[in-house]
Amino acid sequence: MEGRQQQPQQQRGELLPPGPDAPAAAGSERRPEEEEEGKDVAGGGTLGRPLGPTPSQSRFQVDLVAEGAGRPAEEPRKASGDGGAAGKGSEEAKGRFRVNFVDPSAGDESPGEPGGGSSEGGNVSFQNGGDTVLSEGSLHSGGHHHYYYDTHTNTYYLRTFGHNTMDAVPRIDHYRHTAADLGEKLIRPSLAELHDELDKEPFEDGYANGEEGTPAGEAAATYTPDSKGVVKFGWIKGVLVRCMLNIWGVMLFIRLSWIVGQAGIGLSVVVIGMATVVTTITGLSTSAIATNGFVRGGGAYYLISRSLGPEFGGAIGLIFAFANAVAVAMYVVGFAETVVELLKENGTLMVDEMNDIRIIGAITVVILLGISVAGMEWEAKAQIVLLVILVLAIGDFVIGTFIPLDSKKPKGFFGYKAEIFMENFGPDFRHEETFFSVFAIFFPAATGILAGANISGDLADPQSAIPKGTLLAILITTLVYAGIAVSVGSCVVRDATGNVNNTIVTELTNCTTAACKLNYDFSSCQTGCQYGLMNNFQVMSMVSGFAPLISAGIFSATLSSALASLVSAPKIFQALCKDNIYPAFQMFAKGYGKNNEPLRGYLLTFLIALGFILIAELNVIAPIISNFFLASYALINFSVFHASLAKSPGWRPAFKYYNMWISLVGAILCCIVMFVINWWAALLTYVIVLGLYIYVTYKKPDVNWGSSTQALTYLNALQHSIRLSGVEDHVKNFRPQCLIMTGAPNARPALLHLVHAFTKNVGLMICGHVHMGPRRQAMKELSTDLAKYQRWLIKNKMKAFYAPVHAEDLRDGGQYLMQAAGLGRMRPNTLVVGFKKDWRQCDMRDVETYINLFHDAFDVQYGVVVIRLKEGLDISHLQGQEELLSSQEKSPCAKDVIVKVDYSKKSETDTSIAFAPSSSERTPTLHKDSKSPSSPLNLADQRLLDASTQFQKKQGKSNIDVWWLFDDGGLTLLIPYLITTKKKWKDCKIRVFIGGKINRIDHDRRAMATLLSKFRIDFSDIMVLGDINTKPKKENIAAFEEMIEPFRLHEDDKEQEVADKMKEDEPWRITDNELELYKTKTYRQIRLNELLKEHSSTANIIVMSLPVARKGAVSSALYMAWLEALSKDLPPILLVRGNHQSVLTFYS
């Protein structure tokens, strides 16, 4: 141990102090390992401990700050209110945190007062003592932690790793959202604050930690949630009670006995078990999602939308809220029917059965609305009362089963008898009922497991409450359902007449039924009876000790479920509206009062419920509601599977008892059960969910919740990229993958749209942007531009990536991009640049750089495409004037006007590369353009603007002329073919021009036609040019010579030394020797321009072989002059040169 510690010590070459008692040097700090080692060396095993008890090793390291410049470290600090000594010490203290730390071993010492720190700006005091920090992230456990204990105030200064630093320690408040419910968000120091060179006095604004002074910090400071009066529930009141009440419905009292009669005890337990399997799996999945981060209000909608994204969340949120609203009507009508039954028995109907149900239902729902609007606290009290009644009713039934009365025997109740149990154990399906139809009737009774999760916003700790409450509620309710099914099946026979005279006096010979063995003859029930499990829905009240209590239980079950649904629906709907997924419903997002109650949502739910109560036809609606609930269960299960499958690092639920495959099985089971319950309702649900999903996908809400859909998209892309990298390239699969030197993408839209025409859905397109100028400025711009321009590309439906780099000059930047852009097989293979229109006016060093880009591209086996529009490409100097493209974002900041820069003589940079120097360099050129945004455009600018959008329009019936003069592997032919496959270009015809001999024109044409047909490329015409090598017109030669005159070296007229020196300083100059050597090639470019004007002046676009200049032999000026001579005064032209490897094949 000591040896390991001494190593760094020796490397640092620092002397150890004699021991902890020695005063520290002025302003110096000792690292924890120095402290430890110092003690070891000094004490030889008896360590000099700090004053007071030493906390355990797994705590943060806390050191006392020496406030006086040379004060010994051990000297106890005076009371924290003394403001600190003047001078350097107090300055240093600004960057530090004070932690009020209650030491667990401090016995009877008084704990530090919360917030007892001094009032310096940088000191952030932890309100709940140091334990907040320690529990939230003791990242440094197990290392050497050293404490100086302060006996006066028990206050510590906390310093990370023993350095006097403005670095922040891990803390929960750094990870909050801006307007968090549980406390303020604090801003940790940015990397720039810690890492950048100081260009001003540190902490000049008085804030050390970036906590204040930043917009987010201010927002957090102003937002202090008013916690007084907010009602938050624990897991019993908030989840367990709610879920139990919602699961125990009318079914328990009215239908369960009938199910036992139809399916028998055995299959009834199976039915209950199957329903429980589905709900338990969903409960586990809900628990997993609910414990994966802080849960806000919105229940099932919140869980699904934050996991699967707004598309599924928006669809489910709407139908789940609607299902809950209609469920209110369903439960209230169930209640009203029971009341009307009682009225009918007593002969006190008001109007008639149907209208009585409507009247009682309407009154009930108004009362329930009143309870809900009164607030969650009242609603929770009402739920407790209802639960008590419900439990008493169940107890009443259980007691009743043990006291068989003779008066009840004719009705089929004999108490617990083995004969009855045996007879009722097997199924006896009647009236065309089947196992699945019985299951469909029972299953809605098992739903309601999300009642607790639906009010997640009103729970004190939803992360622990939802799993505990939901799963325990499922367990308790299942046991009660199964217990009642078994007990009612063991006590009551299936058929009974209710007639006392049916007792058997004489011994019957063929006595088979249980009733017969118990001396009752119910054989007359073949024609139909009123009593028994099969015939009487009120078996439970008949069995119970006190029948009215069962009626009270039925009331309680229906009203509690109705109340829970009435509360759930508005809460879910409010969360949905807050996210603004359906803008039309925005008004329902508003909350009122301390608890942010959605009063408008309550009113809407009330109206929906009232409407369905007045219809009073619930047999049609019930299966749709069940299916809506099941659809949300299916998606909750699928969310867990999807999130696990996506392997997102953000998916780490605290609840560990889930399995992705079980969740998938749960999702499939939910979908199967939907069809079992009602196939047409299932189909309708699917259609509604799909319709809403498509709507939300189409609207693309501007939200980013880090959903598992995003995570899975990334994972799929990663896996496919890796799989692709193992695939060898094949000529049939060649795609032009273009690195376009656009600069800021919105500066050269024409370049972008034309390349997009042949890469969209075919190949990769990367927009390269080389930032130059001061590094610090460029680095800031890189990060802001990356997000801004990628968003611009997506908004303009460009399937492209934006790749900015910082480099000393354009050539370096181009090399970085060509070597590093792309991933695996998805790497560029073609460099696309705009033609440098202003090359004669600008600094020739820039031309040298521009031409060297081509040479560098050929060196790394790239193809090269140069695009020229006679109007030019760069519209960045117009961007301050008006909205250029309908979809383009206009920004007032200088950063959007990046491209045009005045570099010495340069007036307009059309090199297709954006230079982004510092704003001071940029200003003079830009101000000229930006000052008068309202001034009308001059003619040249207007043409440039029109030209920049020409490739966005549909191209009419015209030609794409391909001048395939040199075989470069076929790229010159492939690009125009790909362009014609696009919708905007599909009416254009390809005409092919080739060079040939005058006496073999027909032969050459046939040979080319054969080749094109083998390549399966359609063409309208092939033209063989026999006169390419004819000498061009004299005036064109003269114009060319005049153009290159300023760039010639004229070495023959100068002394050898002067000429050599000049060539060395200005390598771009054209020598006489070079001019003579390449005379033929020069004439060919001039001649080709004449032929192009003659044959292709009306073409929509010309694609032509790019002449290649030998590196080191042809000067930049001459090569640029060739390109100028070749492409001037023509329609849009692409000069293309592949890397001379085949990109076309005629083999299958």
Side-chain angles (χ1 to χ4, degrees), residues 570-620:
K571 296 271 181 193
I572 296 162
F573 195 54
Q574 182 185 31
L576 180 71
C577 297
K578 270 186 183 166
D579 289 335
N580 202 17
I581 288 176
Y582 303 105
F585 298 142
Q586 187 60 34
M587 60 179 285
F588 292 103
K590 186 169 170 52
Y592 296 86
K594 293 269 196 291
N595 258 37
N596 198 26
E597 294 288 350
L599 295 186
R600 295 173 179 182
Y602 280 130
L603 205 59
L604 182 69
T605 308
F606 166 73
L607 292 173
I608 292 171
L610 191 61
F612 280 100
I613 287 166
L614 296 179
I615 294 169
E617 274 299 322
L618 286 182
N619 289 351
V620 181

Coordinates of all heavy atoms in Angstrom, one line a residue, residues 570-620:
P570 N -60.0 12.7 -16.5 CA -59.5 14.1 -16.7 C -58.0 14.2 -16.4 O -57.3 15.0 -17.1 CB -60.3 14.9 -15.6 CG -61.4 14.0 -15.2 CD -61.0 12.6 -15.4
K571 N -57.5 13.4 -15.5 CA -56.0 13.5 -15.2 C -55.2 13.1 -16.4 O -54.2 13.7 -16.8 CB -55.6 12.6 -14.0 CG -56.3 13.0 -12.7 CD -55.4 14.0 -11.9 CE -56.1 14.4 -10.6 NZ -55.5 15.6 -10.0
I572 N -55.6 12.0 -17.0 CA -54.9 11.5 -18.2 C -55.1 12.5 -19.3 O -54.1 12.8 -20.0 CB -55.5 10.1 -18.6 CG1 -55.2 9.0 -17.6 CG2 -54.9 9.6 -20.0 CD1 -56.1 7.8 -17.7
F573 N -56.3 13.0 -19.5 CA -56.6 13.9 -20.6 C -55.8 15.2 -20.4 O -55.2 15.8 -21.4 CB -58.1 14.2 -20.7 CG -58.5 14.8 -22.0 CD1 -58.2 14.2 -23.2 CD2 -59.2 16.0 -22.0 CE1 -58.6 14.8 -24.4 CE2 -59.6 16.6 -23.2 CZ -59.3 16.0 -24.4
Q574 N -55.6 15.6 -19.2 CA -54.9 16.9 -18.9 C -53.4 16.7 -19.3 O -52.8 17.5 -19.9 CB -55.0 17.2 -17.4 CG -54.3 18.5 -17.0 CD -54.3 18.8 -15.5 OE1 -54.3 17.8 -14.7 NE2 -54.3 20.0 -15.2
A575 N -52.9 15.5 -18.9 CA -51.4 15.2 -19.2 C -51.3 15.2 -20.7 O -50.3 15.7 -21.3 CB -51.0 13.9 -18.6
L576 N -52.2 14.6 -21.4 CA -52.2 14.5 -22.9 C -52.2 15.9 -23.5 O -51.4 16.2 -24.4 CB -53.4 13.7 -23.4 CG -53.5 13.4 -24.9 CD1 -52.5 12.5 -25.3 CD2 -54.9 12.9 -25.2
C577 N -53.1 16.8 -23.0 CA -53.2 18.1 -23.5 C -52.0 19.0 -23.2 O -51.6 19.8 -24.0 CB -54.5 18.8 -23.0 SG -56.0 17.9 -23.5
K578 N -51.4 18.8 -22.0 CA -50.2 19.5 -21.7 C -49.1 19.3 -22.7 O -48.3 20.2 -22.9 CB -49.7 19.1 -20.3 CG -50.3 20.0 -19.2 CD -49.7 19.6 -17.8 CE -50.4 20.4 -16.7 NZ -50.0 19.9 -15.4
D579 N -49.0 18.1 -23.2 CA -47.9 17.7 -24.1 C -48.2 18.3 -25.5 O -47.4 18.1 -26.4 CB -47.7 16.2 -24.2 CG -47.1 15.7 -22.9 OD1 -46.4 16.5 -22.3 OD2 -47.3 14.5 -22.6
N580 N -49.4 18.8 -25.7 CA -49.8 19.5 -27.0 C -49.7 18.6 -28.2 O -49.2 19.0 -29.2 CB -49.0 20.8 -27.2 CG -49.6 21.7 -28.1 OD1 -50.8 21.6 -28.4 ND2 -48.9 22.6 -28.7
I581 N -50.1 17.3 -28.0 CA -50.0 16.4 -29.1 C -51.2 16.6 -30.0 O -51.1 16.5 -31.2 CB -50.0 14.9 -28.6 CG1 -48.6 14.7 -27.9 CG2 -50.2 13.9 -29.6 CD1 -48.4 13.4 -27.3
Y582 N -52.4 17.0 -29.4 CA -53.5 17.3 -30.2 C -53.8 18.8 -29.9 O -54.5 19.1 -28.9 CB -54.8 16.5 -29.8 CG -54.5 15.0 -30.0 CD1 -54.3 14.2 -28.9 CD2 -54.5 14.4 -31.3 CE1 -54.1 12.8 -29.1 CE2 -54.3 13.1 -31.4 CZ -54.1 12.3 -30.3 OH -53.9 10.9 -30.5
P583 N -53.3 19.7 -30.8 CA -53.4 21.2 -30.5 C -54.9 21.6 -30.2 O -55.1 22.5 -29.5 CB -52.8 21.8 -31.7 CG -52.0 20.8 -32.3 CD -52.6 19.5 -32.0
A584 N -55.9 20.9 -30.8 CA -57.3 21.4 -30.6 C -57.7 21.3 -29.2 O -58.6 22.0 -28.8 CB -58.1 20.5 -31.5
F585 N -57.1 20.4 -28.4 CA -57.5 20.1 -27.0 C -56.7 20.9 -26.0 O -56.8 20.7 -24.8 CB -57.4 18.6 -26.7 CG -58.3 17.7 -27.5 CD1 -57.8 16.5 -27.9 CD2 -59.5 18.1 -27.9 CE1 -58.6 15.7 -28.7 CE2 -60.3 17.3 -28.6 CZ -59.9 16.1 -29.1
Q586 N -55.9 21.9 -26.5 CA -55.0 22.6 -25.6 C -55.7 23.2 -24.4 O -55.1 23.3 -23.3 CB -54.3 23.7 -26.5 CG -53.2 24.4 -25.8 CD -52.0 23.5 -25.3 OE1 -51.8 22.5 -26.0 NE2 -51.5 23.8 -24.2
M587 N -57.0 23.7 -24.6 CA -57.7 24.3 -23.5 C -57.8 23.5 -22.3 O -58.0 24.0 -21.1 CB -59.0 24.8 -24.0 CG -59.9 23.7 -24.5 SD -61.5 24.3 -25.0 CE -62.3 24.7 -23.4
F588 N -57.8 22.1 -22.4 CA -58.1 21.2 -21.3 C -56.8 21.0 -20.5 O -56.8 20.3 -19.5 CB -58.6 19.9 -21.8 CG -60.0 20.0 -22.4 CD1 -60.2 20.0 -23.7 CD2 -61.1 20.1 -21.5 CE1 -61.4 20.1 -24.3 CE2 -62.4 20.2 -22.1 CZ -62.5 20.2 -23.4
A589 N -55.7 21.6 -20.9 CA -54.4 21.4 -20.1 C -54.4 22.2 -18.8 O -53.7 21.9 -17.9 CB -53.2 21.8 -21.0
K590 N -55.3 23.3 -18.8 CA -55.2 24.2 -17.6 C -55.7 23.5 -16.3 O -56.7 22.8 -16.3 CB -56.1 25.4 -17.9 CG -56.0 26.5 -16.8 CD -56.7 27.7 -17.3 CE -56.8 28.8 -16.2 NZ -55.6 29.1 -15.5
G591 N -54.9 23.7 -15.3 CA -55.3 23.1 -14.0 C -55.6 24.2 -13.0 O -55.2 25.4 -13.2
Y592 N -56.4 23.9 -12.0 CA -56.8 24.9 -11.0 C -56.5 24.5 -9.6 O -56.4 23.3 -9.3 CB -58.3 25.1 -11.0 CG -58.8 25.7 -12.4 CD1 -59.1 24.8 -13.4 CD2 -59.0 27.0 -12.6 CE1 -59.5 25.3 -14.7 CE2 -59.4 27.5 -13.8 CZ -59.7 26.7 -14.8 OH -60.1 27.1 -16.0
G593 N -56.2 25.5 -8.7 CA -56.0 25.2 -7.3 C -54.6 24.6 -7.0 O -53.8 24.4 -7.9
K594 N -54.5 24.2 -5.7 CA -53.2 23.7 -5.2 C -52.8 22.5 -5.9 O -51.6 22.2 -6.2 CB -53.4 23.4 -3.7 CG -53.6 24.7 -2.8 CD -52.2 25.2 -2.4 CE -52.4 26.2 -1.2 NZ -53.0 27.4 -1.6
N595 N -53.8 21.6 -6.2 CA -53.5 20.3 -6.8 C -53.5 20.3 -8.3 O -53.5 19.2 -8.9 CB -54.5 19.2 -6.2 CG -53.9 18.4 -5.2 OD1 -53.1 18.9 -4.4 ND2 -54.1 17.1 -5.2
N596 N -53.6 21.5 -8.9 CA -53.7 21.6 -10.3 C -54.8 20.7 -10.9 O -54.6 20.0 -11.9 CB -52.3 21.1 -10.9 CG -52.1 21.6 -12.3 OD1 -52.7 22.6 -12.7 ND2 -51.3 20.9 -13.1
E597 N -56.0 20.8 -10.3 CA -57.1 20.0 -10.7 C -57.6 20.4 -12.1 O -57.8 21.5 -12.4 CB -58.3 20.2 -9.7 CG -58.0 19.7 -8.3 CD -57.9 18.1 -8.2 OE1 -58.3 17.5 -9.2 OE2 -57.5 17.6 -7.2
P598 N -57.8 19.3 -13.0 CA -58.3 19.6 -14.3 C -59.8 19.8 -14.4 O -60.6 18.9 -14.8 CB -57.9 18.4 -15.1 CG -57.9 17.3 -14.1 CD -57.5 17.9 -12.7
L599 N -60.3 20.9 -13.9 CA -61.8 21.1 -13.8 C -62.5 21.0 -15.1 O -63.6 20.5 -15.3 CB -62.1 22.5 -13.1 CG -61.6 22.6 -11.7 CD1 -62.1 23.9 -11.1 CD2 -62.1 21.5 -10.8
R600 N -61.8 21.6 -16.2 CA -62.4 21.5 -17.5 C -62.5 20.0 -18.0 O -63.5 19.7 -18.6 CB -61.6 22.3 -18.5 CG -61.5 23.8 -18.2 CD -60.6 24.5 -19.1 NE -60.5 25.9 -18.8 CZ -59.8 26.8 -19.5 NH1 -59.0 26.4 -20.5 NH2 -59.8 28.1 -19.2
G601 N -61.5 19.3 -17.6 CA -61.5 17.8 -17.9 C -62.6 17.1 -17.2 O -63.3 16.2 -17.8
Y602 N -62.8 17.5 -15.9 CA -63.9 16.9 -15.2 C -65.3 17.1 -15.8 O -66.1 16.2 -16.0 CB -64.0 17.5 -13.7 CG -63.0 16.9 -12.8 CD1 -62.1 17.7 -12.0 CD2 -62.9 15.5 -12.6 CE1 -61.2 17.1 -11.1 CE2 -62.0 14.9 -11.8 CZ -61.1 15.7 -11.0 OH -60.2 15.2 -10.2
L603 N -65.4 18.4 -16.3 CA -66.7 18.8 -16.9 C -66.9 18.0 -18.2 O -68.0 17.4 -18.5 CB -66.7 20.3 -17.2 CG -68.1 20.9 -17.3 CD1 -68.9 20.7 -16.1 CD2 -67.9 22.4 -17.7
L604 N -65.8 17.8 -19.0 CA -65.9 17.1 -20.3 C -66.3 15.6 -20.0 O -67.1 15.0 -20.6 CB -64.6 17.2 -21.0 CG -64.6 16.5 -22.4 CD1 -65.5 17.2 -23.4 CD2 -63.1 16.4 -22.9
T605 N -65.6 15.0 -19.0 CA -65.8 13.6 -18.6 C -67.3 13.4 -18.2 O -68.0 12.5 -18.5 CB -64.9 13.2 -17.5 OG1 -63.5 13.5 -17.9 CG2 -65.0 11.7 -17.2
F606 N -67.7 14.4 -17.4 CA -69.1 14.4 -16.9 C -70.1 14.4 -18.1 O -71.1 13.6 -18.1 CB -69.4 15.6 -16.0 CG -70.8 15.9 -15.7 CD1 -71.5 15.1 -14.8 CD2 -71.5 16.9 -16.3 CE1 -72.9 15.3 -14.5 CE2 -72.8 17.2 -16.0 CZ -73.5 16.4 -15.1
L607 N -69.9 15.2 -19.0 CA -70.8 15.3 -20.2 C -70.8 14.0 -21.0 O -71.8 13.5 -21.4 CB -70.4 16.5 -21.1 CG -70.6 17.9 -20.4 CD1 -70.1 19.0 -21.3 CD2 -72.1 18.1 -20.2
I608 N -69.5 13.4 -21.2 CA -69.5 12.2 -22.0 C -70.2 11.1 -21.2 O -71.0 10.3 -21.8 CB -68.0 11.7 -22.2 CG1 -67.3 12.7 -23.1 CG2 -67.9 10.3 -22.7 CD1 -65.8 12.5 -23.2
A609 N -70.0 11.0 -19.9 CA -70.6 10.0 -19.1 C -72.1 10.1 -19.1 O -72.9 9.2 -19.3 CB -70.1 10.0 -17.6
L610 N -72.6 11.4 -18.9 CA -74.0 11.7 -18.9 C -74.6 11.2 -20.3 O -75.7 10.6 -20.3 CB -74.2 13.2 -18.7 CG -75.7 13.6 -18.3 CD1 -76.2 12.9 -17.1 CD2 -75.8 15.1 -18.2
G611 N -74.0 11.5 -21.3 CA -74.5 11.2 -22.7 C -74.7 9.7 -22.8 O -75.7 9.2 -23.2
F612 N -73.7 8.9 -22.3 CA -73.8 7.4 -22.4 C -74.8 6.9 -21.4 O -75.5 5.8 -21.7 CB -72.4 6.8 -22.2 CG -71.6 6.8 -23.5 CD1 -70.6 7.8 -23.7 CD2 -71.9 5.9 -24.5 CE1 -69.9 7.8 -24.8 CE2 -71.1 6.0 -25.7 CZ -70.1 6.9 -25.8
I613 N -75.0 7.6 -20.3 CA -76.0 7.1 -19.3 C -77.4 7.3 -19.9 O -78.3 6.4 -19.8 CB -75.9 7.9 -18.0 CG1 -74.7 7.5 -17.2 CG2 -77.2 7.7 -17.1 CD1 -74.3 8.4 -16.1
L614 N -77.6 8.4 -20.6 CA -78.9 8.6 -21.2 C -79.2 7.7 -22.4 O -80.3 7.4 -22.7 CB -79.0 10.1 -21.7 CG -78.9 11.1 -20.6 CD1 -79.0 12.5 -21.2 CD2 -80.0 10.9 -19.6
I615 N -78.1 7.2 -23.0 CA -78.3 6.1 -24.1 C -78.8 4.8 -23.4 O -79.7 4.2 -23.9 CB -77.0 5.9 -24.9 CG1 -76.6 7.1 -25.7 CG2 -77.2 4.7 -25.8 CD1 -75.3 7.0 -26.3
A616 N -78.1 4.5 -22.3 CA -78.5 3.4 -21.4 C -78.4 2.0 -22.1 O -78.9 1.0 -21.7 CB -79.9 3.6 -20.8
E617 N -77.8 2.0 -23.3 CA -77.5 0.7 -24.0 C -76.1 0.3 -23.8 O -75.2 0.6 -24.6 CB -77.9 0.8 -25.5 CG -79.3 0.6 -25.8 CD -79.8 -0.8 -25.5 OE1 -79.0 -1.8 -25.6 OE2 -80.9 -0.9 -25.0
L618 N -75.8 -0.3 -22.7 CA -74.4 -0.6 -22.4 C -73.8 -1.9 -22.9 O -72.6 -2.1 -22.9 CB -74.1 -0.5 -20.9 CG -74.2 1.0 -20.3 CD1 -73.9 1.0 -18.9 CD2 -73.2 1.9 -21.1
N619 N -74.7 -2.8 -23.3 CA -74.2 -4.1 -23.8 C -73.3 -3.9 -25.0 O -72.5 -4.7 -25.3 CB -75.4 -5.0 -24.1 CG -76.0 -5.5 -22.8 OD1 -75.5 -5.2 -21.7 ND2 -77.2 -6.1 -22.9
V620 N -73.6 -2.9 -25.8 CA -72.8 -2.6 -27.0 C -71.5 -2.0 -26.6 O -70.5 -2.3 -27.2 CB -73.6 -1.7 -28.0 CG1 -72.8 -1.5 -29.3 CG2 -75.0 -2.3 -28.3

